[in-house]
């Protein structure tokens, strides 16, 4: 099985689905993390180019921690991802290039505009990726489903849960690779005050989902397509 996580920024994959990606990688599945941007707005006094270089290196380290086969960057600008046909076709090309069985991305309703636009681009590109008359450099691809992740809010109510018990430390280690961003989020204040003690907060959210589903720790998703199972278990 091949999984493609398309995320807006370095650290998004680790925070929202790091345990799931590591678990699939350990099973022998192919895992790719594609970052829309290099997160060049995530800093204070450095230039955007310097921040991007740091964050890309951190993302490669965290991807290695999770066991990802490929960590790539799609060249969009942090904070400036726009919805357009041109950008949608860029994501079509990304999906076709990697030809995944499953795509993971942001939930459509999120505080961060990059997350919202990424979700819409990926969802619409998923529909276009299988169409033979949509011309790109790679052949059509037809992933089985898209799974959305997000912050636990009134609008995001996951219906699919992955037991990541035993992967808590590895997920935390992956997040810790983003040293510059963890520091930025914990000191930014204002709208990002929720990121105080980021690693501990993420672990607490996963433990809450775990308690809800009868395991120690879990990550939650909303599937684009609800699919029937042959049996309940």
């Amino acid at each position: 099985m091949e999984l493609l996580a398309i995320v807006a920024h370095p650290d998004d994959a680790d925070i929202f689905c790091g345990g799931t990606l590591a678990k699939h990688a350990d099973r022998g599945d192919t895992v790719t993390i594609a970052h829309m941007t290099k997160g060049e707005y995530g800093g204070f006094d450095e230039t955007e180019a310097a921040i991007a270089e740091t964050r890309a290196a951190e993302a490669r380290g965290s991807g290695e921690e999770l066991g990802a086969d490929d960590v790539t960057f799609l060249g969009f600008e942090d904070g400036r991802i726009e919805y357009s046909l041109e950008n949608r076709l860029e994501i079509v090309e990304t999906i076709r290039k990697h030809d995944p069985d499953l795509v993971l991305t942001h939930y459509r309703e999120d505080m961060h505009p990059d997350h919202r636009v990424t979700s819409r681009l990926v969802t619409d590109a998923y529909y276009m990726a299988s169409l033979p008359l949509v011309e790109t450099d790679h052949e059509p691809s037809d992933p089985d489903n898209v799974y959305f992740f997000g912050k636990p809010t009134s609008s995001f109510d996951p219906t699919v849960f992955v037991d990541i018990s035993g992967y808590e430390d590895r997920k935390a280690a992956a997040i810790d690779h983003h040293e510059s961003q963890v520091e930025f989020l914990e000191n930014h204040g204002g709208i990002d005050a929720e990121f105080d003690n980021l690693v501990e907060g993420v672990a607490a959210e996963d433990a809450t989902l775990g308690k809800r589903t009868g395991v120690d720790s879990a990550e939650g998703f909303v599937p684009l397509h609800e699919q029937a199972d042959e049996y309940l278990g």
Side-chain angles (χ1 to χ4, degrees):
M1 178 180 286
E2 298 195 13
L3 279 71
L4 171 63
I6 303 178
V7 298
H9 315 99
D11 78 15
D12 284 337
D14 311 271
I15 291 171
F16 293 114
C17 59
T20 298
L21 296 181
K23 191 172 184 178
H24 275 275
D26 281 358
R27 192 176 71 170
D29 295 336
T30 299
V31 172
T32 298
I33 304 173
H35 302 85
M36 298 286 284
T37 78
K38 292 183 177 179
E40 59 271 20
Y41 271 176
F44 289 108
D45 300 323
E46 299 175 273
T47 65
E48 288 186 31
I51 294 169
E53 182 178 357
T54 296
R55 296 203 64 192
E58 292 172 344
R60 293 186 185 98
S62 68
E64 184 176 353
E65 185 78 49
L66 296 176
D69 297 272
D70 189 17
V71 173
T72 188
F73 302 91
L74 304 184
F76 292 86
E77 294 184 306
D78 189 12
R80 292 153 285 185
I81 303 175
E82 297 182 352
Y83 188 90
S84 67
L85 177 58
E86 179 182 4
N87 289 346
R88 191 199 313 165
L89 289 172
E90 286 287 336
I91 307 304
V92 168
E93 177 70 353
T94 297
I95 292 173
R96 287 180 168 183
K97 176 182 178 181
H98 295 282
D99 193 25
D101 296 288
L102 301 177
V103 178
L104 286 68
T105 195
H106 299 275
Y107 188 62
R108 62 182 177 270
E109 295 179 23
D110 191 286
M111 180 179 69
H112 200 302
D114 282 349
H115 294 186
R116 295 196 301 269
V117 178
T118 296
S119 181
R120 186 181 174 196
L121 286 170
V122 171
T123 302
D124 292 354
Y126 161 78
Y127 281 111
M128 291 184 68
S130 65
L131 301 178
L133 294 182
V134 177
E135 295 185 4
T136 67
D137 291 339
H138 291 83
E139 294 298 314
S141 173
D142 190 15
D144 295 332
N145 212 341
V146 178
Y147 284 91
F148 303 103
F149 49 72
K151 298 175 183 176
T153 65
S154 58
S155 60
F156 179 71
D157 186 17
T159 57
V160 174
F161 303 88
V162 176
D163 178 4
I164 63 165
S165 302
Y167 283 86
E168 297 94 339
D169 289 345
R170 188 141 149 222
K171 177 173 179 174
I175 296 173
D176 280 337
H177 274 278
H178 301 279
E179 183 178 357
S180 69
Q181 185 66 358
V182 170
E183 180 182 0
F184 171 73
L185 290 173
E186 290 185 346
N187 289 280
H188 188 229
I191 61 171
D192 288 327
E194 65 180 283
F195 292 108
D196 289 348
N197 302 312
L198 175 63
V199 175
E200 293 83 354
V202 170
E205 291 174 2
D206 292 346
T208 298
L209 287 181
K211 186 174 182 180
R212 171 177 168 182
T213 53
V215 298
D216 291 335
S217 190
E219 291 172 339
F221 303 88
V222 172
L224 180 60
H225 301 300
E226 296 287 351
Q227 296 175 312
D229 292 326
E230 188 173 359
Y231 297 99
L232 289 178

